[in-house]
Amino acid sequence: MSARDRLTDGLYGAGWSTVKKLPEPVAVRLGRTVADVAWKQRGAGVRRLESNYARVVPDAGPERLAALSRAGMRSYLRYWMESFRLPAWSDERIRTGLTVRDLHHLTDGMDAGKGVVLALPHLANWDLAGAWVTTELGIPFTTVAERLKPETLYDRFVAYREGLGMEVLPHSGGTAFGTLARRLRDGGLVCLVADRDLSASGVEVDFFGETARMPAGPALLALQTGARLLPVTLWYDESPVMKGRVHPPVEVPESGTRAEKTSVMTQALADAFATGIADHPEDWHMLQRLWLKDLDPAKAPAAADGQGAS
């Protein structure tokens, strides 16, 4: 393991071991302080966040974008402070940490017995939402995690999420899709963060007026298994309670090839994500390149992106 990898793993380890022991008001103030310091330094991640917000709020001037990126960093650090502390939260704290609109789309889908795929963008705290599902609703679910480097950091994230009641599969290796499909055929729940895909198998979608690529997995799973596909969006307000909405099911097109149906359904997900992100842009934690124009070095200046785990 390189010195940088050891440092990265050590910092995350310190977060989980130290921050979770802090009183909640102290953790909140710490997160805000760290966010403000990072924002003032205007590193690559902050600049990329601001650039992404410029797509979401195209009429925003420099002052508005700066205010958005500052609020975005505070939201991002709120996610981390909560995530570091989640393993120490009581069941009651988790249950009262989220309120959800239109939850019947999920519960009706589970009652139908054909499985449900929940697809989310990087909004607010998807880990808290997952813990709420397993704790408040008593519904176990399966998800996937990107293999992070160093491997010890990936192991920390898997252990953390499994401790919250999730079954976690590695994103790489080629076996995740088959396992997810089996869980759905058994009437289970699958939850996937699905607003960014840099692989060649991603589906191109129109997202805030420009082309981006999103994972085909959620739509393909729904097509292959008959599971209900539900977009979910999350957001923060000034209260300690996160808010969420389960959007109506994505309909399966009546005609077309499998690839065409996948494309239409993934576009429907992108549209639902865009609705939630436009309403609460500061809670969209996208510190990486997303749109194809930014990914193509011939069309955009090369720059290092901010890094974050998902």
Side-chain angles (χ1 to χ4, degrees), residues 57-81:
V57 190
D59 58 345
E63 290 186 4
R64 169 66 171 146
L65 287 175
L68 268 177
S69 65
R70 183 178 190 183
M73 290 304 295
R74 287 182 170 186
S75 177
Y76 186 48
L77 264 295
R78 176 173 172 176
Y79 160 77
W80 279 113
M81 291 297 108

Side-chain angles (χ1 to χ4, degrees), residues 20-50:
K20 70 180 180 182
K21 298 176 184 177
L22 296 175
E24 189 155 340
V26 175
V28 170
R29 289 196 299 272
L30 175 62
R32 181 161 290 200
T33 299
V34 172
D36 287 348
V37 169
W39 177 77
K40 288 177 182 177
Q41 290 177 343
R42 290 196 59 80
V46 173
R47 298 195 305 273
R48 176 55 54 190
L49 185 67
E50 207 164 285

Side-chain angles (χ1 to χ4, degrees), residues 218-241:
L220 284 172
L221 284 166
L223 282 171
Q224 185 164 311
T225 67
R228 181 178 293 199
L229 176 56
L230 300 173
V232 175
T233 53
L234 306 167
W235 66 94
Y236 290 128
D237 56 21
E238 294 303 315
S239 78
V241 180

Side-chain angles (χ1 to χ4, degrees), residues 172-213:
S172 59
T175 61
F177 188 90
T179 302
L180 295 174
R182 286 194 295 275
R183 299 292 183 268
L184 292 169
R185 291 192 183 98
D186 290 338
L189 176 64
V190 165
C191 299
L192 301 170
V193 179
D195 57 343
R196 182 173 184 259
D197 190 317
L198 304 183
S199 71
S201 61
V203 176
E204 291 190 3
V205 295
D206 179 89
F207 197 53
F208 292 102
E210 292 189 35
T211 304
R213 189 180 293 123

